[in-house]
Amino acid sequence: MPIRQADNPLNPPLRAGDEGLQYAVLAQRLAGRIPGLPTTTTAAEIRATAVIGGGLMGAAVDDPAIDQMILAYAAELGIQRRCISDEEIVSRCLLAMVNEGARIVSEGVAYRPSDVDVIYLNGYGFPAERGGPMFLADQTGLKHVLATLKSYQDQRHGWAWAPAALLVELAERGGSFGDLSA
């Protein structure tokens, strides 16, 4: 499991209980955020799908019926399926944290990027040896982070990957989040 390999104790699918999953699916359907969700698909069916496979993370591993349900649903929505590497999964999770961290710094919710790191380290259990998502982004290079976010923006649900203005500004001038924490 890529998130566990990244030492992240916050694996939302593993933390979601059956009831939480049901309510989440219903809320998303009512909010219109699951376009084309078949009317025959109920929260109970989704819950059963998760339970049949031995839990949320193993739901589609070795069950042909579940695989067929997923294939049919993807085809109905016109989703072109592809293999996604563990590295891409970890990258998407981390860059979502970085991008949102940049937004909350620019909005004044957090005073500086290092404050975002402190919250992730102490409040969410981000691995201390990695220094926090903002520090990790600086180590990776903000130009690379920005380029990766833009590549995600060119894919399905690209709107969710629009880079934060602060991140764009820092990357374009060769700055870092660390510059703002000094």
Side-chain angles (χ1 to χ4, degrees):
M1 290 180 211
I3 299 300
R4 287 204 182 266
Q5 289 171 352
D7 300 323
N8 186 349
L10 291 181
N11 192 335
L14 289 176
R15 300 243 179 214
D18 291 342
E19 295 80 13
L21 179 63
Q22 290 176 11
Y23 291 121
V25 169
L26 290 173
Q28 293 295 311
R29 183 190 300 162
L30 291 173
R33 291 191 185 123
I34 305 179
L37 186 66
T39 55
T40 58
T41 303
T42 65
E45 286 175 312
I46 292 171
R47 178 181 163 276
T49 300
V51 172
I52 288 169
L56 295 172
M57 295 305 288
V61 176
D62 290 323
D63 190 329
I66 293 172
D67 289 342
Q68 286 301 333
M69 186 185 330
I70 291 169
L71 288 170
Y73 185 58
E76 188 174 320
L77 293 178
I79 296 171
Q80 181 73 347
R81 297 190 56 185
R82 66 182 180 93
C83 291
I84 302 174
S85 69
D86 289 353
E87 292 78 21
E88 182 179 346
I89 293 169
V90 171
S91 172
R92 285 178 178 267
C93 291
L94 289 173
L95 292 187
M97 288 185 231
V98 169
N99 205 29
E100 189 58 28
R103 280 195 183 94
I104 66 172
V105 168
S106 66
E107 292 168 359
V109 175
Y111 185 67
R112 56 189 169 251
S114 59
D115 296 338
V116 174
D117 284 340
V118 168
I119 293 299
Y120 273 109
L121 289 165
N122 296 320
Y124 292 104
F126 195 90
E129 65 274 9
R130 295 177 191 252
M134 311 308 275
F135 178 81
L136 197 56
D138 278 349
Q139 298 303 305
T140 303
L142 295 187
K143 287 183 180 183
H144 176 73
V145 168
L146 180 59
T148 305
L149 282 172
K150 286 182 176 181
S151 75
Y152 295 156
Q153 194 176 16
D154 293 337
Q155 299 173 24
R156 185 172 170 82
H157 301 299
W159 56 267
W161 296 100
L166 177 61
L167 177 60
V168 173
E169 176 192 331
L170 289 171
E172 287 177 352
R173 70 176 162 110
S176 70
F177 290 122
D179 298 341
L180 302 177
S181 292

